Amino acid sequence: MIPYATQWIDDDDISAVIETLRSDRLTTGPAVKAFEDAFAEFTGAAHAVAVSSGTAALHAAMLAAGIGPGDEAIVPAITFAATANCVVYQGGTPVFADVREDTLLIDPSDVEAKITSSTRAVIAVDYAGQPADYDDLHTIVEGRNITLVADACHAPGGAYRDRPTGSLADLSTFSFHPVKHIACGEGGMIVTDDADAAERMTVFRNHGITSDYRAREEKCSWEYEMESLGFNYRITDIQCALGLSQLKKLPAWVERRRQIARRYDEAFRDVHCIEPLSVLPGRRHAYHLYVVRVKTDRMPSARRKLFDELRSRGIMVNVHYIPVYLHPYYRRTLGTGPGMCPVAECAYEEILSLPMYPKLSDEEVGTVIGAVLESCRTIGLTD
Ligand SMILES: *Cc1c(COP(=O)(O)O)cnc(C)c1O
């Protein structure tokens, strides 16, 4: 079986974790700070705040953006549900913008059309690993008191006009779930150049308490104050030791992902029923996902059939994602439904994610390509 994504853990990762387990700090210790510092440097951002998941990172970003009841945040229709959920956590309302037909990145013209006097944030998603249209998005939010947030969970190691992801928006979030580029088990990070925002998110991840227990220890004091309502979104030193060890390999892993993508691109170049998404000039795609559109003009259920056929051959393809506003929760609470974002809904009928992870061998890439071409023939998409 070939999964669509998986982690890569080596002996040095295991040693790093064991070393932390033998130390006297399992949480809120030196590995957290070391991981934050290394990640800030990697992304070119001034500050990094590590948290317990990518979802917690998005929630903290919404806190930092000042989202509250009555505020709106514009999010793309095609993304993981957490991109929209984080707005609801803060009492705000997600507003869904359609995506571009060629890249499935949030469509700047639809963002502009959906701005109201209540819009306080735009969350761009670097879908599949390709950085969104940041120049256009900056132009749109400029002078409007709107925070631009990058949900860069798909794109560590990516770049836009030679600037790395993490330095492209006011706040950028990352995930360290095992299907993403580097694994902490669970983990997330927010990076920003705004020192005040970083400080508020650091307090937010620790219940809203303004000093951690080590600072109290240093002051020989038991006193602490909860200034605001926060959460326990802390990440452990065990997870950060793993993250730090994995981060060292990230540049090579992004290269490997790009190499695999080039092989897929070549293999499907002349196959008209399999259409990879466009990669725009000036972008360094980090390839969390390799997404193709299975053209349905000749066979309406082609994607479903290809999905089933590939899975029966042990190629665990997947679909990323159903438009978020079609989930029952959003239909029920916001009254959303079909017809809202036609480009996203049409794409959702056609998209398929092929296996993409650095540990995928050249031979396995060949197996996937062969299986896709044979499956297209089996279901009658090609002759
Ligand atoms: C994975 C992901 C998240 C959430 O990250 P977790 O670490 O699983 O909480 C958020 N947004 C996008 C686009 C993601 O892919």
Side-chain angles (χ1 to χ4, degrees):
M1 246 173 36
I2 299 182
Y4 87 87
T6 189
Q7 73 274 15
W8 190 347
I9 304 290
D10 270 337
D11 286 346
D12 56 338
D13 299 308
I14 293 167
S15 302
V17 171
I18 289 172
E19 197 182 311
T20 306
L21 284 170
R22 294 192 196 284
S23 78
D24 59 353
R25 298 286 192 209
L26 297 187
T27 192
T28 322
V32 178
K33 181 77 167 63
F35 187 34
E36 288 173 337
D37 289 349
F39 203 82
E41 191 183 333
F42 179 75
T43 56
H47 307 278
V49 180
V51 291
S52 53
S53 70
T55 304
L58 282 164
H59 189 179
M62 290 300 97
L63 179 277
I67 298 297
D71 294 335
E72 294 174 355
I74 300 176
V75 305
I78 292 205
T79 182
F80 183 56
T83 314
N85 296 351
C86 66
V87 183
V88 182
Y89 296 160
Q90 283 299 101
T93 305
V95 172
F96 297 94
D98 212 340
V99 292
R100 290 174 52 155
E101 172 95 44
D102 53 351
T103 57
L104 306 190
L105 295 169
I106 193 167
D107 183 343
S109 62
D110 205 38
V111 170
E112 181 126 55
K114 289 191 169 145
I115 285 178
T116 70
S117 57
S118 302
T119 309
R120 290 281 69 85
V122 172
I123 311 178
V125 174
D126 300 329
Y127 177 75
Q130 173 161 226
D133 298 277
Y134 287 102
D135 283 352
D136 295 335
L137 293 168
H138 276 292
T139 305
I140 291 166
V141 302
E142 214 174 282
R144 278 173 145 152
N145 189 26
I146 295 173
T147 303
L148 182 58
V149 179
D151 179 344
C153 287
H154 292 186
Y160 178 90
R161 302 199 198 291
D162 295 326
R163 279 175 295 140
T165 53
S167 64
L168 302 171
D170 300 317
L171 300 150
S172 304
T173 65
F174 295 87
S175 163
F176 310 121
H177 183 278
V179 298
K180 305 291 167 63
H181 284 67
I182 62 176
C184 285
E186 299 281 356
M189 190 83 77
I190 316 99
V191 299
T192 181
D193 285 338
D194 181 339
D196 178 59
E199 174 60 24
R200 278 183 289 133
M201 292 187 290
T202 304
V203 170
F204 183 70
R205 80 171 164 194
N206 188 36
H207 309 281
I209 293 170
T210 47
S211 66
D212 65 25
Y213 83 95
R214 210 172 329 288
R216 292 196 295 280
E217 230 169 45
E218 277 160 19
K219 282 197 296 187
C220 292
S221 168
W222 62 80
E223 286 167 40
Y224 64 85
E225 283 175 327
M226 199 193 90
E227 293 279 0
S228 53
L229 185 65
F231 290 77
N232 180 352
Y233 279 159
R234 294 186 307 260
I235 185 170
T236 65
D237 281 59
I238 307 163
Q239 292 162 303
C240 289
L242 179 55
L244 191 56
S245 176
Q246 293 256 298
L247 183 59
K248 295 182 185 132
K249 304 162 193 181
L250 180 54
W253 282 351
V254 172
E255 268 321 307
R256 175 62 187 156
R257 286 172 180 273
R258 291 168 57 77
Q259 211 174 44
I260 294 167
R262 280 196 295 274
R263 274 199 66 198
Y264 282 150
D265 286 344
E266 271 161 40
F268 305 131
R269 183 160 297 144
D270 300 319
V271 184
H272 90 278
C273 59
I274 300 289
E275 202 175 88
L277 297 183
S278 301
V279 181
L280 301 171
R283 321 274 160 127
R284 180 179 159 80
H285 198 312
Y287 286 105
H288 162 52
L289 303 172
Y290 188 88
V291 177
V292 299
R293 293 179 77 137
V294 185
K295 297 311 284 180
T296 52
D297 34 0
R298 288 198 310 175
M299 186 190 290
S301 54
R303 194 272 310 273
R304 175 83 235 178
K305 286 186 177 147
L306 188 56
F307 177 95
D308 291 342
E309 181 63 29
L310 283 166
R311 286 218 160 191
S312 77
R313 291 166 186 256
I315 313 292
M316 305 314 273
V317 288
N318 219 320
V319 173
H320 301 93
Y321 301 89
I322 183 170
V324 177
Y325 61 82
L326 294 180
H327 284 294
Y329 171 79
Y330 283 112
R331 291 182 190 236
R332 196 169 67 240
T333 58
L334 298 182
T336 54
M340 282 179 56
C341 296
V343 180
E345 287 172 34
C346 179
Y348 172 56
E349 297 303 318
E350 298 187 340
I351 48 181
L352 196 63
S353 305
L354 303 184
M356 172 57 84
Y357 49 91
K359 209 178 183 182
L360 198 63
S361 68
D362 287 340
E363 194 187 336
E364 287 169 320
V365 176
T367 303
V368 174
I369 291 168
V372 169
L373 298 178
E374 277 175 41
S375 298
C376 284
R377 278 194 291 276
T378 306
I379 65 174
L381 259 179
T382 51
D383 21 67

